[in-house]
Amino acid sequence: MIIFKPGSIAGGASSYVYEISKWVDMPVYRLYADRSDDEKVNLVEFGEKPKIPIVGRQIFDDFLDRLEYAFWRPPEEPNIVISSGLVTKSVQHHPHQTRIHLAHGFHRGAFGLPPRDNYSNNTILKRLQQTNRLWLRQSEQRNIDHMDVVVANSEFTADMLQHYLGTEIDHVIYPPVPVSEYYDDRPSEEDFYLFLGRVAPVKGVREIVEAFRELDEQLIIAGDGPLRTELEKKSTSNVKFCGYVDD
């Protein structure tokens, strides 16, 4: 079985996990799951999404998700439990089960790395945020030690995990992208730079757009995400947003 916690917007991590689930023929367990467009993926839903005010959700949503996963026990029947996603490491598997974790990254904000939320101006909320981040840092380091096998999705991810969590990576399995299908050797009518991915802080797209303020070259951004509206308003004329682009 596979335990998965996707991001707020479906992206490469979802495709990565769903392709692996089809490859190994395992169901994917998700907290309050959205349905997959791929009928070949067997999604199993558990838990109920907490209903909390917007301010509280921004501060504690990840913490509450971790609690949901931490106190949910997987079925005993599978001999292998695969987890993927930041909060799924907190799931406690049974002693007889072999645990494999597919690592796309770790909670960067807990270690003071960008992107991270700004602290609240309210002193009490600020202390709660700081306490939460410290707990997240300790949780990241403690939970990864319970894994029998750790698989990273890139050499960069493997290096980051080893540096910040002290984790030895057993294997690197790259995302299942058929790159040959996207190769095009036709000459382009014009030169340009391409950003292809989720338009979110963790992807560094804000910094890329800012850098092109000082350049004459054209930048094309193909993808959607929470930063798109903000960046479209701030970008210069040499930056073009295409939105979501399918295969």
Side-chain angles (χ1 to χ4, degrees):
M1 64 175 295
I2 299 175
I3 308 167
F4 181 46
K5 170 62 171 72
S8 57
I9 296 178
S14 297
S15 300
Y16 182 84
V17 169
Y18 294 158
E19 285 299 318
I20 288 179
S21 77
K22 292 186 289 185
W23 176 42
V24 297
D25 192 23
M26 288 183 174
V28 177
Y29 284 73
R30 284 179 49 174
L31 181 64
Y32 38 86
D34 296 325
R35 306 317 301 167
S36 170
D37 293 332
D38 193 332
E39 296 181 354
K40 295 181 180 179
V41 177
N42 178 17
L43 288 182
V44 181
E45 182 177 353
F46 68 91
E48 181 178 352
K49 189 173 181 63
K51 297 178 177 61
I52 54 179
I54 292 177
V55 174
R57 187 179 308 122
Q58 291 174 339
I59 298 173
F60 298 113
D61 196 35
D62 185 64
F63 175 76
L64 294 174
D65 282 353
R66 283 177 181 264
L67 289 181
E68 287 279 359
Y69 278 88
F71 289 98
W72 177 79
R73 293 300 298 273
E76 294 189 34
E77 292 79 11
N79 292 320
I80 297 176
V81 174
I82 302 174
S83 55
S84 181
L86 290 179
V87 304
T88 62
K89 292 191 293 294
S90 61
V91 173
Q92 296 297 305
H93 56 283
H94 298 278
H96 70 277
Q97 294 173 325
T98 298
R99 181 68 172 272
I100 302 172
H101 185 68
L102 304 177
H104 306 273
F106 59 99
H107 200 292
R108 298 167 61 90
F111 292 83
L113 300 173
R116 56 183 183 273
D117 298 330
N118 294 324
Y119 286 122
S120 171
N121 292 325
N122 182 288
T123 302
I124 296 177
L125 288 178
K126 179 180 178 180
R127 295 307 180 198
L128 288 173
Q129 286 176 295
Q130 291 174 327
T131 302
N132 183 38
R133 290 187 186 180
L134 178 60
W135 179 83
L136 287 173
R137 180 183 300 187
Q138 295 170 341
S139 175
E140 286 281 336
Q141 295 170 322
R142 181 175 60 253
N143 289 332
I144 200 71
D145 289 339
H146 293 163
M147 305 301 158
D148 297 303
V149 179
V150 178
V151 178
N153 66 345
S154 69
E155 294 290 349
F156 174 79
T157 299
D159 291 342
M160 294 286 282
L161 289 169
Q162 187 168 16
H163 177 77
Y164 286 98
L165 301 183
T167 305
E168 291 294 334
I169 305 302
D170 298 285
H171 303 283
V172 173
I173 300 179
Y174 294 99
V177 178
V179 292
S180 60
E181 296 182 11
Y182 301 100
Y183 180 75
D184 189 350
D185 59 357
R186 294 174 299 178
S188 173
E189 296 180 358
E190 58 181 334
D191 293 329
F192 60 89
Y193 289 87
L194 173 66
F195 172 89
L196 178 62
R198 182 159 48 94
V199 186
V202 71
K203 300 299 184 181
V205 63
R206 181 186 279 117
E207 290 76 11
I208 294 174
V209 170
E210 186 64 29
F212 270 80
R213 286 180 171 274
E214 310 297 328
L215 302 174
D216 295 326
E217 286 81 359
Q218 183 182 16
L219 170 66
I220 295 178
I221 296 178
D224 208 347
L227 287 183
R228 181 182 172 186
T229 300
E230 173 194 331
L231 295 180
E232 278 188 299
K233 293 178 180 178
K234 296 180 178 180
S235 63
T236 49
S237 59
N238 60 330
V239 178
K240 177 183 177 182
F241 288 80
C242 298
Y244 175 77
V245 179
D246 61 21
D247 290 345

